[in-house]
Amino acid sequence: MAETATLTLQGACSSREILNDISGKWSVMALTTLAYGPCRFNALKRALEGISQKALTDTLRRLERNGLVERHVLATSPVGVQYELTELGVSLKSLYCALHQWTAENRTIIHAARERFDERVA
Amino acid sequence: MAETATLTLQGACSSREILNDISGKWSVMALTTLAYGPCRFNALKRALEGISQKALTDTLRRLERNGLVERHVLATSPVGVQYELTELGVSLKSLYCALHQWTAENRTIIHAARERFDERVA
DNA sequence: CGGCATCCTTTTGGATACTG
DNA sequence: CAGTATCCAAAAGGATGCCG
């Protein structure tokens, strides 16, 4: 099944371009966090412990641009902003949660692999 | 999984660090391609059309370091190098193929979302 | 609170040349 | 063929200050 040709679609919105925006560390983690429900900016920032404000802003903009999350300005004082998965975002939810879970389940194996590799190279 | 009271174990291989190495455009695409079977360097390079040699080398090293692919030097002339998924890599296979497929299935929707966003911002 | 603008450092990636 | 080495450009990312 050499389906690579059909998956690597040419044109305005190839798989590569999409993956460029939605894969990556912060996108996966943000989406996974939002899978539990709508979340405000600083709550998200705390959940993604270690992310800078700029990186989070950029990540959320990218996800918003691709139609995966929606940004809602709350009429509170001071202003609040809530992010929420769209229908499209929800359709990716189980995939990303599974990925996140995979990292948790295999972190010991991966850690060992890294140590072997580093020793082999050193 | 001996969870000794060391802080460095958690820190040494968190989900964030794993995702940092295995998520991302090229990792997803390389892994997806290798899901169809072992593949040699230049064949992989052609499949990931547009990737530079350096980026591919770096990507494969990262995947190898994390125990997802294995590198086999073939005794041919001139030398050949074949990359193959490990058992761990296979365990991620369905996840990444599903992700790749998701991008293909939703590319029209995403493209439309991008256009709406860009127009809203402009 | 949730940004944006600016500056600056780090990382990443492309291009090219060279090698076993 | 499958790299490595080097240089350079571009992008990502942190720190800080300001704002509605």
Side-chain angles (χ1 to χ4, degrees):
Chain A
M1 66 164 143
E3 240 49 71
T4 329
T6 51
L7 290 176
T8 315
L9 289 164
Q10 306 291 336
C13 210
S14 64
S15 288
R16 189 197 335 281
E17 284 175 288
I18 295 172
L19 287 172
N20 195 42
D21 273 19
I22 70 163
S23 70
K25 185 176 50 171
W26 296 131
S27 295
V28 176
M29 295 186 72
L31 246 13
T32 304
T33 304
L34 286 171
Y36 296 110
C39 193
R40 289 177 55 167
F41 186 86
N42 278 328
L44 218 34
K45 189 168 184 299
R46 278 188 297 276
L48 272 57
E49 183 193 359
I51 194 173
S52 70
Q53 189 186 47
K54 191 182 162 192
L56 181 55
T57 304
D58 292 350
T59 300
L60 289 171
R61 281 293 171 284
R62 225 175 8 255
L63 295 178
E64 191 192 357
R65 175 170 186 263
N66 285 269
L68 293 166
V69 305
E70 255 169 18
R71 181 177 178 274
H72 303 292
V73 180
L74 308 174
T76 54
S77 164
V79 220
V81 179
Q82 196 169 54
Y83 290 89
E84 186 175 9
L85 290 185
T86 60
E87 199 181 327
L88 187 65
V90 170
S91 76
L92 196 56
K93 187 175 111 168
S94 58
L95 235 44
Y96 273 12
C97 285
L99 179 58
H100 209 232
Q101 196 182 329
W102 185 92
T103 65
E105 281 167 359
N106 293 284
R107 74 181 198 81
T108 306
I109 296 174
I110 292 171
H111 188 230
R114 285 183 181 182
E115 292 204 318
R116 274 198 308 280
F117 182 91
D118 292 345
E119 192 165 346
R120 213 161 59 231
V121 172
Chain B
M1 173 132 105
E3 205 66 39
T4 46
T6 155
L7 295 168
T8 45
L9 184 59
Q10 282 286 350
C13 210
S14 62
S15 286
R16 189 198 336 279
E17 283 174 288
I18 295 173
L19 288 172
N20 195 42
D21 273 19
I22 70 164
S23 69
K25 184 177 50 170
W26 297 130
S27 295
V28 175
M29 294 186 73
L31 246 13
T32 305
T33 304
L34 285 171
Y36 297 109
C39 193
R40 289 177 55 167
F41 187 86
N42 277 328
L44 219 35
K45 188 169 186 299
R46 278 188 297 275
L48 273 56
E49 183 193 357
I51 194 172
S52 71
Q53 192 185 44
K54 190 183 162 193
L56 181 55
T57 303
D58 292 350
T59 300
L60 289 170
R61 283 291 171 286
R62 221 173 15 253
L63 295 178
E64 191 192 357
R65 177 170 185 263
N66 285 269
L68 293 167
V69 306
E70 254 169 20
R71 181 177 177 274
H72 304 291
V73 180
L74 307 174
T76 55
S77 165
V79 222
V81 179
Q82 196 170 53
Y83 290 88
E84 185 176 9
L85 290 186
T86 60
E87 200 180 325
L88 188 64
V90 170
S91 76
L92 197 56
K93 187 175 110 168
S94 58
L95 234 45
Y96 273 11
C97 285
L99 178 58
H100 209 185
Q101 197 182 329
W102 184 93
T103 65
E105 282 167 359
N106 293 282
R107 65 182 267 292
T108 308
I109 296 174
I110 292 171
H111 185 57
R114 285 183 182 183
E115 292 205 317
R116 273 199 308 279
F117 183 90
D118 292 345
E119 191 165 347
R120 210 160 62 230
V121 171

